[in-house]
Amino acid sequence: MKPIYWAFTLVLSGGLVPLAAQQLPPSVRAIHSNLGEDSAGVYVLTPAGNKAYEVNPPAFPTLSQMIGTRTGYKDGIALDFQAPDFNGLVYYGFLPYGDGTYIYPVYVRQAPEVIGGKVKLPIRNLRGRYDMIGWEAKGWGYLGYRVVSSKGAILYDGKIAFGYDAKADSFTALTTVVEGPKSIYFSSEEQYVSLALNEKPHGIVIIDLMPGKKASEGGIYDLNPTSIKSLTLVKDTATLNALGNFKDELIPSRVKDNESLYLFDSPSISRPIIIPSRSSSPTEKDRFTFAYCSDSRDNQGGGERNVFGTNFYMVKRIGALATSRGAAFVQFTGDLIDGYLTSADQQRLQYANFKRALEPYWGSIPFICAPGNHEAHSRLFYDTQGQTYYSIDRYPYADSSAEALFASEFANPISSLRSEDGAAYDPDPTVQNFPPYGETVFTYSYGNTAMVVLNSNYWYTVQQRHVPHVSGNIHAYIMDNQLAWLAHQLDSLERDPAIAHVFVTCHTPIFPNGGHVQDDMWYRGDNRPRPYVAGKPVAKGILERRDEILDLLVNKSTKVRATLTGDEHNYCRTQITEAMPRYPEGWTGPRLALKRTIWQINNGSAGAPYYAQEQTPWSAFTQAFTTQVALVFVHVNGDKLEVEVQNPDTLEVIDRFTLR
C-alpha cells in the first residue's frame, strides 16, 4: 500500500477544486459520523472543530478524453482529446487481425505530435509495402494508438476502426469495439462475453448460441448502449445462415479457430457483431489447470511498466503465459490498478489499461477479477487549517461507491449477498444505508472445483486513523453479513457431491509475511482495529474476526484446500496448522484450535513494487518466499492438486508442491 492519497500528488499541483454545495444523503449521514453540510458544501467536522470541506482534485487524463472524438479527414483519422492544455505524442499503427491469434498494434515510425489536445493520424502514407492489412483493397481497417505525455508517460492504448471511400478518396471513423470482446466468466454450462463501443450505433448484436440451448434464449441484442456487460453465448444457426447474403461485407476483427468477432457495414445491417460459440467444458471434467495472481498496479522502470495505473508489461506476460499453459481461467484478486481516485472517469481509464493489456488473451480465457484496497474510490475532504485529508467511500453508494464502480467495469456472477444492511450495527434496517456488494463477492465453479471470492475492502475508509472519527471499514476486515454469507457458501459446497475442492480468495492475507504485517488480518497483533458504524465500534476486533474466518475455512469445511491472497507484493506459501503460532504475546482472549491443515498461497507478484519478508510469529511456517514476478498454476486431476509457480517474465519455475 502506498502512502495515503499518494495518487493526488500527480494533480494537486494544479490546485484543489472545491465542490459546489451538494446534499448529504441521509443514509450516508446515518452510518458515518462527524459529517455535516452547510451553504459551502459537505464537510467533515474535525476533532479540532475545523470544517474539512469536500474537494475535487483535477482529473486528467480520463477514459472519455483518451478515447476522444474521432473524425475522418482526407489523409486519415483526426483525434480530439478534449484537453486544450495537453501536448504529447501518439504512436499508432495497424492492428493486423487475422495475422495470428493474439494481436497487439504494430507501430509505424512516425509519432504525430498532440498540440492543444488534438492530433492527426495519417493512413494514406501506409500503402503499398506498408499496407499490411489490405485497407486499400478492402476499404476498412483497424488502428491501434498509444497516447504519451510530453514527459514520456504512457497514458492509454486505444483502437480505431476506420473506413476508406475510394471514390471520395477520404477516410471515415467507424464505430469501434474499444474494449473486448472478453470471455468474462464461464462454467461447464455457461459462457459469457462483454464488450464496449466508443459510440451508440444503430445496430444489433448477434450471438451464436451454444449447443443444447434454444434460440429463444439468445440471438439478437440491441446495441443502444455503448457497452454490453454480459451476453450468454448460444447457437442460432438459422440466424447465422440468414446473414450469408452479407458474407462479402464481413469485417473480421479477431479469428481464433472457431471463435471470431465480426463487424458488418451494410445498408441493411448496421455493423452487428457475431461471436460464434466455443466449447467451454473442461476436456475432462475434473482434469484442468487454473491460474492465480494479484497486484498489478504500476511499477518503476519506465515504459510499459507504468501505463497510467497498471504494469502493462507484466500483465501482458501473465496473459501470454496463462494462455500458453492452457489455463481454463485466471483468478485475479485485487490491486489491478493504482486507484485511490475521486474521478470515476479517471479510474475507468486505469481499469481500461489493465484490460487492454490482457485483451488479446481475454478473448480466449476468462480473467475473473475481484477488488483490493487500490480499487478504492472515495470522496475527499481537506482541512485547510490542520492540513489533513479525510475520506469515505464515494456516495451515492448505489452507483458511485468503489463497489458499484468495480461492478460496472467487470462482469462477475451475482451472489445473494446484497450489502451490510440489516446487520446488528445497522442503525436503521428499514433503509438501504450501506454500499452494494454487487459483483465483488461471489462464488463460481469449474469442473469439480469451486472458488469463493471475498471483498476485504468493502466500505473502505482509506486512512485507518480516521475510522473512529468518520466511521467506515478498515483494511482487511470481513464484516458480519459477508461472514454469514461465507458460512452459507461453504456449507452449501460441503454438501455438494459434485465439488471436491474449494478455494477461498480475498485480497488480504490472513497471515501477512512481508509488506503488510502492520495491517491485513494481523495489525501487529493488535485486536483493537475494527470498523465503526455511526461512530460506534463493532463488537469484534480484527483478530477475533480472523479466527472466525479460520474456523469456517479449517474446522467447518473439509473441502477448503487453500486461501489465495495478495496485497503483499511477493509469492510465498504458509502452512496454516494447529502448531503454528498465531497470537501476540499476552493474548488473553479465546484461542481457536485448528482441526486440520490448509495452505495460504500468497501471490501479490503481478507487477507491483516488491515487499521483502518480515519477521512474524509464523515465519517458520512460511516457505518458498520470493519477490520475483509470479503466476501460480493449480493443476487439478480428480482428487489430486499440484501447484506450480512460474515467473512470466523469465519463465523460470519458482516453486512446485503437492497441495493434495
Side-chain angles (χ1 to χ4, degrees), residues 179-184 192-196 228-231 409 411:
E179 179 186 302
K182 305 188 303 293
S183 179
I184 51 174
Y192 301 90
V193 297
S194 70
L195 52 89
I228 296 181
K229 186 175 177 183
S230 179
L231 297 173
E409 287 292 311

Side-chain angles (χ1 to χ4, degrees), residues 149-401:
S149 75
S150 58
K151 295 184 178 180
I154 305 173
L155 303 179
Y156 177 64
D157 269 20
K159 297 185 290 184
I160 300 173
F162 68 88
Y164 173 66
D165 186 338
K167 292 182 179 179
D169 192 26
S170 64
F171 294 85
T172 56
L174 303 179
T175 301
T176 305
V177 179
V178 293
E179 179 186 302
K182 305 188 303 293
S183 179
I184 51 174
Y185 164 74
F186 62 80
S187 68
S188 56
E189 291 78 32
E190 298 174 302
Q191 181 183 354
Y192 301 90
V193 297
S194 70
L195 52 89
L197 296 92
N198 69 307
E199 60 186 3
K200 297 179 181 179
H202 299 290
I204 56 175
V205 177
I206 301 178
I207 303 299
D208 189 10
L209 296 153
M210 288 178 65
K213 298 285 186 178
K214 297 178 181 179
S216 60
E217 297 175 29
I220 299 175
Y221 294 79
D222 189 4
L223 258 188
N224 284 331
T226 57
S227 65
I228 296 181
K229 186 175 177 183
S230 179
L231 297 173
T232 306
L233 299 192
V234 284
K235 189 174 183 61
D236 185 355
T237 305
T239 302
L240 294 176
N241 289 340
L243 293 171
N245 296 332
F246 304 102
K247 62 184 179 181
D248 294 334
E249 299 174 65
L250 281 173
I251 303 176
S253 67
R254 180 189 317 222
V255 179
K256 178 181 180 294
D257 300 326
N258 67 334
E259 180 184 2
S260 307
L261 165 69
Y262 295 101
L263 299 185
F264 278 82
D265 190 5
S266 159
S268 303
I269 301 180
S270 177
R271 291 188 288 279
I273 299 167
I274 304 177
I275 309 173
S277 67
R278 64 183 178 88
S279 173
S280 59
S281 301
T283 304
E284 298 180 30
K285 181 177 181 294
D286 299 333
R287 186 174 183 177
F288 60 93
T289 295
F290 73 88
Y292 172 73
C293 60
S294 72
D295 294 82
S296 60
R297 60 182 177 86
D298 71 37
N299 205 334
Q300 310 307 313
E304 288 191 341
R305 285 174 172 79
N306 182 357
V307 177
F308 193 63
T310 196
N311 191 328
F312 198 93
Y313 171 73
M314 287 304 176
V315 172
K316 282 200 308 184
R317 298 290 297 178
I318 286 168
L321 180 58
T323 304
S324 69
R325 295 295 305 272
F329 62 89
V330 179
Q331 176 62 47
F332 206 118
T333 307
D335 285 10
L336 290 60
I337 59 170
D338 276 356
Y340 285 128
L341 298 170
T342 61
S343 164
D345 201 6
Q346 191 168 54
Q347 192 140 325
R348 290 184 193 279
L349 175 59
Q350 294 194 357
Y351 283 136
N353 286 332
F354 169 83
K355 290 184 280 188
R356 178 76 75 252
L358 286 173
E359 189 170 285
Y361 313 104
W362 208 324
S364 302
I365 60 174
F367 289 79
I368 302 166
C369 299
N373 51 292
H374 276 261
E375 278 70 44
H377 181 51
S378 304
R379 285 188 182 267
L380 183 66
F381 303 84
Y382 185 62
D383 175 11
T384 56
Q385 292 176 282
Q387 296 186 336
T388 302
Y389 289 106
Y390 296 82
S391 73
I392 61 173
D393 196 5
R394 193 166 187 86
Y395 63 80
Y397 287 147
D399 54 19
S400 298
S401 61

Side-chain angles (χ1 to χ4, degrees), residues 17 30 118 132 174 236 439 455 468 502 546 552 591 616 645:
V17 179
K118 299 180 180 181
M132 61 189 294
L174 303 179
D236 185 355
E439 295 161 53
N455 180 356
V502 176
R546 178 204 69 177
L552 293 176
R591 292 175 179 260
T616 66
V645 185

Side-chain angles (χ1 to χ4, degrees), residues 516-537:
H516 278 276
V517 176
Q518 77 279 3
D519 48 41
D520 283 347
M521 297 190 192
W522 177 237
Y523 282 83
R524 298 196 184 277
D526 187 353
N527 188 50
R528 290 174 297 176
R530 63 195 67 198
Y532 277 63
V533 181
K536 299 177 182 179

